Amino acid sequence: RTQDRHHKRPKQRHQPRATTNMPQFLCCACIDAADYGIVQECGKFKSIIQPGCSVVLWPIASVASVSMRTTQLNVNTNTKTKDNVTVAVQTAIMYQVDPEMVNTFYFKLHNPQQQISAYVDDCIRSQIPLMTLDEAFEAKEKLATVVKQQVADSMKQFGVQVINALMTDMQPDETVMRAMNKINAAKRDREAAVEKAEGDKILAVKQAEAEAEAKHLSGMGTAKMRHAITDGFRGSIESMKESCGLEPHDVVHMMLVTQYLDVLKEFAQSGKATMVVPHGPSAVADIENQVRSGFMQASMMAPAGKNSMG
């Protein structure tokens, strides 16, 4: 009996083998068109399933989906330029999972966005400190290309494909921005002042040319007027010399007196003009002598004219 007991105990220990067989079911796993499925059996990677409906053995097998969509990650990096200006750089990284390395991406990366951000920060902080602020603004395209290349090379081993990298924003410190705006405003004001001065110069030159042309034309008109007056005087003197026998200086004197009286007549008729008459002890006598002399010469011309006619 003792031997029988010893033989029965091992049989009782092997009985739980029959009870460990758990019920298993075939279940359908539906994978979205933009995802891939990771199949694990008892925690071990088994296969990758394509989008659609697949059958798995539950509960031994489990399915996890991995998105194959292109994802955008915005990374904000604070750094300093070569001329000691603090700037905040925003970089947009577009990435997706490599279809050939879905299992690597799923099992080796815990937080892909955090890891990509670290690579971007490292690249930005190694490039911008070598440039001044103006050079950094001018080299945005070049910096974006460098970031894309370095991040793509670093994340390729984890099954991540970098589609594109864009440097979407670069903001210096607020005080630097105000200073830059003042510099630009001063530059624009200086350019505006230069343009205004050039305009004033052109206007002054054109005005001077117009005045010179006007004076030239006025001088020509005055010359022609004086020439006509001289011709008129010459004709009058010759006519009176032939008809009255007066000397040229007598004729000129008489004509001046006549014009003087005509001017006085026009002043009297207008009623609005003001005439300044020389005033002094001899002023009246001078005017009287001039008028008397004119009348005397006129009276002498009358008999001479009658004798010539007779």
Side-chain angles (χ1 to χ4, degrees):
R1 292 179 180 179
T2 304
Q3 291 178 356
D4 292 339
R5 291 178 182 177
H6 288 293
H7 286 293
K8 290 180 181 179
R9 287 180 181 176
K11 292 181 180 179
Q12 291 178 356
R13 292 178 181 176
H14 289 287
Q15 287 179 0
R17 292 182 179 179
T19 59
T20 55
N21 294 328
M22 298 175 61
Q24 298 179 1
F25 304 94
L26 292 177
C27 297
C28 292
C30 295
I31 304 300
D32 189 75
D35 298 341
Y36 274 12
I38 300 292
V39 180
Q40 294 176 265
E41 287 187 354
C42 299
K44 182 180 179 181
F45 171 72
K46 181 182 179 183
S47 63
I48 298 174
I49 56 177
Q50 301 291 327
C53 184
S54 301
V55 178
V56 295
L57 190 62
W58 185 87
I60 296 176
S62 62
V63 179
S65 62
V66 177
S67 176
M68 305 300 293
R69 297 182 180 92
T70 299
T71 305
Q72 177 172 326
L73 174 63
N74 294 323
V75 182
N76 295 316
T77 307
N78 294 321
T79 185
K80 188 172 67 172
T81 61
K82 187 177 180 180
D83 49 354
N84 294 324
V85 178
T86 303
V87 292
V89 181
Q90 186 178 63
T91 309
I93 304 294
M94 275 73 77
Y95 70 95
Q96 66 179 10
V97 179
D98 187 354
E100 302 296 330
M101 301 179 67
V102 177
N103 59 329
T104 303
F105 173 82
Y106 183 79
F107 290 108
K108 287 190 175 182
L109 279 180
H110 173 66
N111 192 338
Q113 294 187 351
Q114 185 176 0
Q115 191 162 348
I116 292 174
S117 299
Y119 282 118
V120 172
D121 290 341
D122 179 70
C123 183
I124 293 293
R125 288 170 181 160
S126 64
Q127 294 293 325
I128 289 186
L130 303 177
M131 307 176 184
T132 63
L133 182 61
D134 294 336
E135 292 174 349
F137 273 107
E138 294 174 358
K140 288 179 66 176
E141 294 293 334
K142 179 181 177 181
L143 289 172
T145 303
V146 173
V147 170
K148 176 185 175 183
Q149 187 64 39
Q150 291 192 9
V151 175
D153 293 342
S154 300
M155 297 299 296
K156 183 178 181 180
Q157 58 181 325
F158 300 108
V160 176
Q161 293 179 338
V162 178
I163 307 301
N164 202 357
L166 301 175
M167 193 166 292
T168 57
D169 194 13
M170 184 182 295
Q171 288 291 335
D173 186 70
E174 186 177 355
T175 56
V176 177
M177 285 290 294
R178 288 198 297 266
M180 291 176 63
N181 292 333
K182 289 181 180 179
I183 293 172
N184 290 331
K187 183 179 179 181
R188 298 293 183 271
D189 291 341
R190 183 169 61 254
E191 292 177 354
V194 171
E195 293 296 330
K196 184 178 182 301
E198 289 293 334
D200 293 342
K201 176 183 176 181
I202 295 173
L203 182 62
V205 170
K206 293 298 182 182
Q207 185 176 359
E209 292 177 354
E211 291 179 356
E213 185 67 19
K215 290 180 180 179
H216 175 69
L217 296 176
S218 176
M220 293 179 62
T222 304
K224 291 181 179 180
M225 181 187 68
R226 291 176 179 176
H227 184 70
I229 292 173
T230 303
D231 291 342
F233 281 163
R234 184 185 301 111
S236 299
I237 291 171
E238 291 177 355
S239 176
M240 294 184 69
K241 182 179 180 181
E242 292 177 357
S243 61
C244 303
L246 295 175
E247 294 296 329
H249 67 276
D250 295 331
V251 176
V252 172
H253 184 72
M254 185 184 66
M255 292 176 64
L256 292 175
V257 173
T258 303
Q259 289 181 357
Y260 178 72
L261 294 176
D262 290 340
V263 171
L264 293 178
K265 181 180 178 182
E266 290 178 1
F267 271 110
Q269 290 178 352
S270 65
K272 297 181 180 180
T274 303
M275 182 179 65
V276 179
V277 179
H279 179 71
S282 60
V284 178
D286 291 339
I287 295 174
E288 183 181 357
N289 291 332
Q290 292 176 7
V291 174
R292 184 184 298 112
S293 177
F295 280 113
M296 289 177 66
Q297 291 180 4
S299 62
M300 291 174 63
M301 290 171 60
K306 292 180 179 179
N307 293 332
S308 63
M309 292 176 63

Tab-separated table of all heavy atoms in Angstrom, residues 224-278:
chain	number	residue	atom	x	y	z
A	224	LYS	N	12.032	143.841	-78.344
A	224	LYS	CA	11.191	144.150	-79.493
A	224	LYS	C	10.355	145.397	-79.245
A	224	LYS	O	10.161	146.224	-80.157
A	224	LYS	CB	10.282	142.952	-79.805
A	224	LYS	CG	11.031	141.745	-80.341
A	224	LYS	CD	10.080	140.604	-80.654
A	224	LYS	CE	10.836	139.400	-81.203
A	224	LYS	NZ	9.929	138.274	-81.505
A	225	MET	N	9.838	145.545	-77.998
A	225	MET	CA	9.035	146.727	-77.670
A	225	MET	C	9.874	147.992	-77.786
A	225	MET	O	9.446	149.003	-78.380
A	225	MET	CB	8.469	146.585	-76.256
A	225	MET	CG	7.596	147.755	-75.818
A	225	MET	SD	7.142	147.638	-74.091
A	225	MET	CE	8.733	147.911	-73.321
A	226	ARG	N	11.077	147.947	-77.220
A	226	ARG	CA	11.945	149.121	-77.290
A	226	ARG	C	12.356	149.416	-78.730
A	226	ARG	O	12.481	150.586	-79.121
A	226	ARG	CB	13.171	148.900	-76.411
A	226	ARG	CG	12.838	148.899	-74.925
A	226	ARG	CD	14.052	148.582	-74.088
A	226	ARG	NE	13.714	148.602	-72.660
A	226	ARG	CZ	14.571	148.281	-71.698
A	226	ARG	NH1	15.798	147.886	-72.009
A	226	ARG	NH2	14.185	148.318	-70.430
A	227	HIS	N	12.577	148.354	-79.492
A	227	HIS	CA	12.907	148.568	-80.893
A	227	HIS	C	11.759	149.244	-81.635
A	227	HIS	O	11.968	150.173	-82.452
A	227	HIS	CB	13.247	147.234	-81.545
A	227	HIS	CG	13.693	147.342	-82.971
A	227	HIS	ND1	14.907	147.885	-83.347
A	227	HIS	CD2	13.053	146.986	-84.134
A	227	HIS	CE1	15.023	147.869	-84.657
A	227	HIS	NE2	13.894	147.316	-85.167
A	228	ALA	N	10.530	148.797	-81.307
A	228	ALA	CA	9.364	149.427	-81.941
A	228	ALA	C	9.214	150.881	-81.498
A	228	ALA	O	8.877	151.766	-82.308
A	228	ALA	CB	8.104	148.626	-81.597
A	229	ILE	N	9.451	151.143	-80.177
A	229	ILE	CA	9.364	152.528	-79.684
A	229	ILE	C	10.416	153.391	-80.359
A	229	ILE	O	10.149	154.547	-80.774
A	229	ILE	CB	9.520	152.543	-78.153
A	229	ILE	CG1	8.307	151.868	-77.483
A	229	ILE	CG2	9.673	153.977	-77.636
A	229	ILE	CD1	8.451	151.697	-75.988
A	230	THR	N	11.626	152.819	-80.469
A	230	THR	CA	12.707	153.579	-81.122
A	230	THR	C	12.359	153.883	-82.567
A	230	THR	O	12.562	155.015	-83.060
A	230	THR	CB	14.023	152.791	-81.045
A	230	THR	OG1	14.308	152.512	-79.680
A	230	THR	CG2	15.171	153.575	-81.655
A	231	ASP	N	11.792	152.907	-83.261
A	231	ASP	CA	11.382	153.145	-84.653
A	231	ASP	C	10.297	154.203	-84.724
A	231	ASP	O	10.285	155.063	-85.635
A	231	ASP	CB	10.895	151.847	-85.281
A	231	ASP	CG	12.028	150.852	-85.480
A	231	ASP	OD1	13.204	151.274	-85.459
A	231	ASP	OD2	11.739	149.634	-85.623
A	232	GLY	N	9.374	154.168	-83.754
A	232	GLY	CA	8.312	155.177	-83.730
A	232	GLY	C	8.852	156.570	-83.476
A	232	GLY	O	8.446	157.549	-84.119
A	233	PHE	N	9.780	156.649	-82.472
A	233	PHE	CA	10.401	157.944	-82.189
A	233	PHE	C	11.181	158.455	-83.398
A	233	PHE	O	11.124	159.642	-83.750
A	233	PHE	CB	11.327	157.834	-80.985
A	233	PHE	CG	10.608	157.861	-79.668
A	233	PHE	CD1	11.239	157.428	-78.506
A	233	PHE	CD2	9.310	158.322	-79.578
A	233	PHE	CE1	10.596	157.463	-77.299
A	233	PHE	CE2	8.649	158.349	-78.361
A	233	PHE	CZ	9.287	157.913	-77.214
A	234	ARG	N	11.896	157.561	-84.042
A	234	ARG	CA	12.690	157.975	-85.195
A	234	ARG	C	11.790	158.509	-86.309
A	234	ARG	O	12.066	159.551	-86.939
A	234	ARG	CB	13.518	156.804	-85.704
A	234	ARG	CG	14.446	157.217	-86.863
A	234	ARG	CD	15.173	156.031	-87.455
A	234	ARG	NE	15.992	155.342	-86.468
A	234	ARG	CZ	15.748	154.140	-85.989
A	234	ARG	NH1	14.671	153.482	-86.398
A	234	ARG	NH2	16.523	153.575	-85.090
A	235	GLY	N	10.673	157.788	-86.522
A	235	GLY	CA	9.742	158.252	-87.557
A	235	GLY	C	9.121	159.585	-87.210
A	235	GLY	O	8.947	160.465	-88.072
A	236	SER	N	8.759	159.766	-85.911
A	236	SER	CA	8.143	161.032	-85.491
A	236	SER	C	9.129	162.188	-85.626
A	236	SER	O	8.767	163.287	-86.089
A	236	SER	CB	7.654	160.908	-84.047
A	236	SER	OG	6.678	159.899	-83.933
A	237	ILE	N	10.377	161.938	-85.191
A	237	ILE	CA	11.385	163.000	-85.246
A	237	ILE	C	11.638	163.408	-86.699
A	237	ILE	O	11.695	164.597	-87.049
A	237	ILE	CB	12.680	162.544	-84.560
A	237	ILE	CG1	12.447	162.413	-83.049
A	237	ILE	CG2	13.812	163.517	-84.838
A	237	ILE	CD1	13.602	161.774	-82.310
A	238	GLU	N	11.757	162.400	-87.565
A	238	GLU	CA	12.024	162.722	-88.974
A	238	GLU	C	10.843	163.458	-89.596
A	238	GLU	O	11.018	164.395	-90.390
A	238	GLU	CB	12.320	161.428	-89.738
A	238	GLU	CG	13.642	160.790	-89.357
A	238	GLU	CD	13.868	159.471	-90.067
A	238	GLU	OE1	12.924	159.039	-90.769
A	238	GLU	OE2	14.950	158.875	-89.909
A	239	SER	N	9.625	163.025	-89.233
A	239	SER	CA	8.444	163.694	-89.784
A	239	SER	C	8.354	165.141	-89.320
A	239	SER	O	8.086	166.064	-90.113
A	239	SER	CB	7.187	162.923	-89.385
A	239	SER	OG	6.024	163.590	-89.834
A	240	MET	N	8.563	165.389	-88.001
A	240	MET	CA	8.476	166.743	-87.471
A	240	MET	C	9.627	167.586	-87.961
A	240	MET	O	9.489	168.812	-88.169
A	240	MET	CB	8.452	166.701	-85.941
A	240	MET	CG	7.198	166.042	-85.383
A	240	MET	SD	7.123	166.094	-83.589
A	240	MET	CE	6.874	167.838	-83.324
A	241	LYS	N	10.784	166.984	-88.150
A	241	LYS	CA	11.919	167.762	-88.675
A	241	LYS	C	11.647	168.218	-90.097
A	241	LYS	O	11.952	169.354	-90.490
A	241	LYS	CB	13.165	166.899	-88.626
A	241	LYS	CG	14.417	167.631	-89.102
A	241	LYS	CD	15.614	166.738	-88.998
A	241	LYS	CE	16.873	167.460	-89.477
A	241	LYS	NZ	18.062	166.599	-89.402
A	242	GLU	N	11.031	167.356	-90.883
A	242	GLU	CA	10.745	167.720	-92.254
A	242	GLU	C	9.610	168.744	-92.347
A	242	GLU	O	9.636	169.642	-93.186
A	242	GLU	CB	10.381	166.461	-93.051
A	242	GLU	CG	11.546	165.501	-93.237
A	242	GLU	CD	11.134	164.239	-93.952
A	242	GLU	OE1	9.918	164.113	-94.241
A	242	GLU	OE2	11.989	163.364	-94.175
A	243	SER	N	8.588	168.567	-91.440
A	243	SER	CA	7.427	169.453	-91.533
A	243	SER	C	7.618	170.760	-90.778
A	243	SER	O	7.118	171.809	-91.198
A	243	SER	CB	6.177	168.733	-91.016
A	243	SER	OG	6.356	168.383	-89.653
A	244	CYS	N	8.334	170.748	-89.627
A	244	CYS	CA	8.445	171.930	-88.774
A	244	CYS	C	9.851	172.519	-88.743
A	244	CYS	O	10.048	173.633	-88.238
A	244	CYS	CB	7.989	171.607	-87.353
A	244	CYS	SG	6.315	170.973	-87.259
A	245	GLY	N	10.812	171.802	-89.170
A	245	GLY	CA	12.166	172.286	-89.147
A	245	GLY	C	12.802	172.291	-87.774
A	245	GLY	O	13.755	173.043	-87.532
A	246	LEU	N	12.269	171.459	-86.853
A	246	LEU	CA	12.825	171.401	-85.504
A	246	LEU	C	14.018	170.474	-85.468
A	246	LEU	O	14.132	169.521	-86.255
A	246	LEU	CB	11.765	170.912	-84.509
A	246	LEU	CG	10.543	171.815	-84.300
A	246	LEU	CD1	9.542	171.128	-83.377
A	246	LEU	CD2	10.956	173.164	-83.725
A	247	GLU	N	14.879	170.758	-84.503
A	247	GLU	CA	16.022	169.895	-84.284
A	247	GLU	C	15.564	168.639	-83.525
A	247	GLU	O	14.555	168.660	-82.813
A	247	GLU	CB	17.098	170.635	-83.486
A	247	GLU	CG	17.707	171.798	-84.233
A	247	GLU	CD	18.460	171.359	-85.474
A	247	GLU	OE1	19.015	170.215	-85.439
A	247	GLU	OE2	18.477	172.109	-86.458
A	248	PRO	N	16.287	167.581	-83.648
A	248	PRO	CA	15.869	166.338	-82.968
A	248	PRO	C	15.710	166.493	-81.463
A	248	PRO	O	14.766	165.934	-80.884
A	248	PRO	CB	16.985	165.366	-83.332
A	248	PRO	CG	17.502	165.872	-84.635
A	248	PRO	CD	17.406	167.375	-84.571
A	249	HIS	N	16.623	167.206	-80.806
A	249	HIS	CA	16.494	167.301	-79.353
A	249	HIS	C	15.266	168.108	-78.958
A	249	HIS	O	14.659	167.869	-77.915
A	249	HIS	CB	17.770	167.923	-78.762
A	249	HIS	CG	17.984	169.341	-79.137
A	249	HIS	ND1	18.595	169.725	-80.338
A	249	HIS	CD2	17.664	170.509	-78.485
A	249	HIS	CE1	18.648	171.034	-80.394
A	249	HIS	NE2	18.083	171.538	-79.278
A	250	ASP	N	14.884	169.099	-79.785
A	250	ASP	CA	13.655	169.857	-79.489
A	250	ASP	C	12.423	168.985	-79.643
A	250	ASP	O	11.469	169.060	-78.847
A	250	ASP	CB	13.568	171.059	-80.433
A	250	ASP	CG	14.695	172.049	-80.192
A	250	ASP	OD1	15.163	172.114	-79.029
A	250	ASP	OD2	15.103	172.727	-81.153
A	251	VAL	N	12.445	168.137	-80.642
A	251	VAL	CA	11.298	167.245	-80.851
A	251	VAL	C	11.154	166.266	-79.685
A	251	VAL	O	10.060	166.008	-79.176
A	251	VAL	CB	11.458	166.488	-82.188
A	251	VAL	CG1	10.325	165.480	-82.368
A	251	VAL	CG2	11.471	167.464	-83.355
A	252	VAL	N	12.285	165.697	-79.244
A	252	VAL	CA	12.251	164.759	-78.115
A	252	VAL	C	11.745	165.449	-76.866
A	252	VAL	O	10.932	164.901	-76.111
A	252	VAL	CB	13.650	164.162	-77.890
A	252	VAL	CG1	13.688	163.341	-76.613
A	252	VAL	CG2	14.052	163.298	-79.078
A	253	HIS	N	12.193	166.656	-76.627
A	253	HIS	CA	11.745	167.380	-75.456
A	253	HIS	C	10.243	167.622	-75.492
A	253	HIS	O	9.533	167.462	-74.495
A	253	HIS	CB	12.505	168.709	-75.370
A	253	HIS	CG	12.175	169.488	-74.135
A	253	HIS	ND1	12.585	169.130	-72.881
A	253	HIS	CD2	11.429	170.630	-73.985
A	253	HIS	CE1	12.136	169.990	-71.986
A	253	HIS	NE2	11.426	170.933	-72.646
A	254	MET	N	9.740	168.008	-76.643
A	254	MET	CA	8.307	168.255	-76.760
A	254	MET	C	7.510	166.968	-76.559
A	254	MET	O	6.455	166.952	-75.918
A	254	MET	CB	8.010	168.852	-78.130
A	254	MET	CG	6.544	169.264	-78.313
A	254	MET	SD	6.211	169.841	-79.971
A	254	MET	CE	6.459	168.345	-80.881
A	255	MET	N	8.007	165.846	-77.082
A	255	MET	CA	7.300	164.580	-76.931
A	255	MET	C	7.266	164.131	-75.461
A	255	MET	O	6.259	163.587	-74.988
A	255	MET	CB	7.975	163.507	-77.778
A	255	MET	CG	7.827	163.757	-79.292
A	255	MET	SD	8.720	162.544	-80.278
A	255	MET	CE	7.842	161.072	-79.821
A	256	LEU	N	8.357	164.365	-74.743
A	256	LEU	CA	8.380	164.009	-73.320
A	256	LEU	C	7.368	164.823	-72.534
A	256	LEU	O	6.672	164.303	-71.653
A	256	LEU	CB	9.779	164.196	-72.751
A	256	LEU	CG	10.845	163.223	-73.270
A	256	LEU	CD1	12.215	163.600	-72.715
A	256	LEU	CD2	10.496	161.794	-72.860
A	257	VAL	N	7.286	166.108	-72.840
A	257	VAL	CA	6.295	166.964	-72.149
A	257	VAL	C	4.886	166.494	-72.467
A	257	VAL	O	4.008	166.424	-71.595
A	257	VAL	CB	6.502	168.441	-72.536
A	257	VAL	CG1	5.386	169.290	-71.964
A	257	VAL	CG2	7.845	168.932	-72.032
A	258	THR	N	4.653	166.141	-73.739
A	258	THR	CA	3.309	165.670	-74.136
A	258	THR	C	2.947	164.385	-73.393
A	258	THR	O	1.829	164.212	-72.894
A	258	THR	CB	3.277	165.453	-75.651
A	258	THR	OG1	3.646	166.664	-76.324
A	258	THR	CG2	1.881	165.042	-76.102
A	259	GLN	N	3.884	163.452	-73.307
A	259	GLN	CA	3.630	162.203	-72.580
A	259	GLN	C	3.393	162.469	-71.099
A	259	GLN	O	2.564	161.819	-70.451
A	259	GLN	CB	4.808	161.250	-72.766
A	259	GLN	CG	4.898	160.677	-74.177
A	259	GLN	CD	6.051	159.716	-74.311
A	259	GLN	OE1	6.814	159.520	-73.373
A	259	GLN	NE2	6.191	159.120	-75.495
A	260	TYR	N	4.126	163.430	-70.579
A	260	TYR	CA	3.947	163.770	-69.162
A	260	TYR	C	2.547	164.295	-68.903
A	260	TYR	O	1.883	163.892	-67.944
A	260	TYR	CB	5.000	164.808	-68.771
A	260	TYR	CG	4.896	165.286	-67.333
A	260	TYR	CD1	5.264	164.463	-66.276
A	260	TYR	CD2	4.416	166.566	-67.049
A	260	TYR	CE1	5.169	164.908	-64.970
A	260	TYR	CE2	4.316	167.010	-65.741
A	260	TYR	CZ	4.705	166.179	-64.708
A	260	TYR	OH	4.595	166.625	-63.421
A	261	LEU	N	2.054	165.152	-69.784
A	261	LEU	CA	0.692	165.673	-69.634
A	261	LEU	C	-0.344	164.569	-69.830
A	261	LEU	O	-1.378	164.553	-69.153
A	261	LEU	CB	0.476	166.807	-70.646
A	261	LEU	CG	1.326	168.065	-70.411
A	261	LEU	CD1	1.096	169.092	-71.527
A	261	LEU	CD2	1.013	168.701	-69.046
A	262	ASP	N	-0.078	163.629	-70.741
A	262	ASP	CA	-1.013	162.515	-70.933
A	262	ASP	C	-1.095	161.643	-69.681
A	262	ASP	O	-2.176	161.172	-69.298
A	262	ASP	CB	-0.574	161.667	-72.122
A	262	ASP	CG	-0.758	162.400	-73.448
A	262	ASP	OD1	-1.545	163.353	-73.470
A	262	ASP	OD2	-0.089	161.990	-74.432
A	263	VAL	N	0.041	161.432	-69.039
A	263	VAL	CA	0.048	160.640	-67.807
A	263	VAL	C	-0.764	161.339	-66.727
A	263	VAL	O	-1.542	160.714	-65.995
A	263	VAL	CB	1.488	160.374	-67.343
A	263	VAL	CG1	1.508	159.758	-65.953
A	263	VAL	CG2	2.191	159.457	-68.326
A	264	LEU	N	-0.593	162.676	-66.600
A	264	LEU	CA	-1.376	163.426	-65.604
A	264	LEU	C	-2.856	163.326	-65.904
A	264	LEU	O	-3.689	163.200	-64.984
A	264	LEU	CB	-0.924	164.885	-65.590
A	264	LEU	CG	0.503	165.149	-65.083
A	264	LEU	CD1	0.811	166.648	-65.176
A	264	LEU	CD2	0.677	164.668	-63.661
A	265	LYS	N	-3.211	163.349	-67.170
A	265	LYS	CA	-4.612	163.248	-67.558
A	265	LYS	C	-5.186	161.895	-67.160
A	265	LYS	O	-6.300	161.779	-66.639
A	265	LYS	CB	-4.740	163.490	-69.054
A	265	LYS	CG	-6.171	163.443	-69.566
A	265	LYS	CD	-6.204	163.691	-71.060
A	265	LYS	CE	-7.642	163.604	-71.574
A	265	LYS	NZ	-7.715	163.804	-73.032
A	266	GLU	N	-4.414	160.826	-67.398
A	266	GLU	CA	-4.881	159.481	-67.041
A	266	GLU	C	-5.029	159.331	-65.534
A	266	GLU	O	-5.972	158.707	-65.047
A	266	GLU	CB	-3.902	158.437	-67.576
A	266	GLU	CG	-3.926	158.325	-69.097
A	266	GLU	CD	-2.923	157.326	-69.610
A	266	GLU	OE1	-2.230	156.713	-68.747
A	266	GLU	OE2	-2.826	157.141	-70.847
A	267	PHE	N	-4.094	159.932	-64.766
A	267	PHE	CA	-4.233	159.896	-63.310
A	267	PHE	C	-5.509	160.592	-62.868
A	267	PHE	O	-6.233	160.123	-61.983
A	267	PHE	CB	-3.012	160.557	-62.657
A	267	PHE	CG	-1.884	159.594	-62.394
A	267	PHE	CD1	-0.706	159.659	-63.128
A	267	PHE	CD2	-1.995	158.623	-61.426
A	267	PHE	CE1	0.327	158.782	-62.888
A	267	PHE	CE2	-0.960	157.739	-61.183
A	267	PHE	CZ	0.204	157.817	-61.915
A	268	ALA	N	-5.807	161.723	-63.496
A	268	ALA	CA	-7.004	162.489	-63.100
A	268	ALA	C	-8.276	161.745	-63.460
A	268	ALA	O	-9.266	161.778	-62.717
A	268	ALA	CB	-6.967	163.861	-63.765
A	269	GLN	N	-8.295	161.067	-64.596
A	269	GLN	CA	-9.502	160.368	-65.025
A	269	GLN	C	-9.734	159.074	-64.249
A	269	GLN	O	-10.878	158.679	-64.032
A	269	GLN	CB	-9.400	160.066	-66.521
A	269	GLN	CG	-9.503	161.300	-67.402
A	269	GLN	CD	-9.344	160.971	-68.867
A	269	GLN	OE1	-9.013	159.849	-69.232
A	269	GLN	NE2	-9.588	161.974	-69.731
A	270	SER	N	-8.687	158.423	-63.834
A	270	SER	CA	-8.871	157.149	-63.115
A	270	SER	C	-9.492	157.353	-61.747
A	270	SER	O	-10.359	156.601	-61.319
A	270	SER	CB	-7.529	156.424	-62.990
A	270	SER	OG	-6.637	157.171	-62.183
A	271	GLY	N	-9.087	158.327	-61.028
A	271	GLY	CA	-9.627	158.606	-59.703
A	271	GLY	C	-9.156	157.668	-58.617
A	271	GLY	O	-9.497	157.838	-57.440
A	272	LYS	N	-8.415	156.632	-58.951
A	272	LYS	CA	-7.945	155.657	-57.967
A	272	LYS	C	-6.424	155.618	-57.856
A	272	LYS	O	-5.907	155.058	-56.919
A	272	LYS	CB	-8.446	154.257	-58.325
A	272	LYS	CG	-9.967	154.139	-58.297
A	272	LYS	CD	-10.390	152.725	-58.648
A	272	LYS	CE	-11.917	152.588	-58.626
A	272	LYS	NZ	-12.351	151.227	-58.974
A	273	ALA	N	-5.746	156.165	-58.818
A	273	ALA	CA	-4.291	156.103	-58.825
A	273	ALA	C	-3.711	157.182	-57.923
A	273	ALA	O	-4.355	158.202	-57.639
A	273	ALA	CB	-3.757	156.251	-60.241
A	274	THR	N	-2.528	156.935	-57.471
A	274	THR	CA	-1.814	157.877	-56.616
A	274	THR	C	-0.519	158.270	-57.310
A	274	THR	O	0.218	157.399	-57.765
A	274	THR	CB	-1.495	157.264	-55.254
A	274	THR	OG1	-2.720	156.840	-54.638
A	274	THR	CG2	-0.792	158.269	-54.357
A	275	MET	N	-0.264	159.551	-57.384
A	275	MET	CA	0.946	160.051	-58.035
A	275	MET	C	1.778	160.798	-57.004
A	275	MET	O	1.251	161.620	-56.238
A	275	MET	CB	0.601	160.987	-59.197
A	275	MET	CG	1.824	161.497	-59.947
A	275	MET	SD	1.392	162.570	-61.321
A	275	MET	CE	0.671	163.943	-60.432
A	276	VAL	N	3.054	160.507	-56.972
A	276	VAL	CA	3.981	161.180	-56.078
A	276	VAL	C	4.678	162.282	-56.870
A	276	VAL	O	5.383	162.004	-57.854
A	276	VAL	CB	5.014	160.185	-55.492
A	276	VAL	CG1	5.990	160.926	-54.580
A	276	VAL	CG2	4.304	159.059	-54.750
A	277	VAL	N	4.450	163.518	-56.465
A	277	VAL	CA	5.011	164.682	-57.161
A	277	VAL	C	6.179	165.204	-56.341
A	277	VAL	O	6.056	165.364	-55.117
A	277	VAL	CB	3.941	165.787	-57.332
A	277	VAL	CG1	4.553	167.005	-58.039
A	277	VAL	CG2	2.752	165.241	-58.098
A	278	PRO	N	7.329	165.443	-56.949
A	278	PRO	CA	8.459	166.003	-56.184
A	278	PRO	C	8.062	167.320	-55.500
A	278	PRO	O	7.394	168.175	-56.098
A	278	PRO	CB	9.528	166.228	-57.246
A	278	PRO	CG	9.159	165.321	-58.362
A	278	PRO	CD	7.659	165.236	-58.363
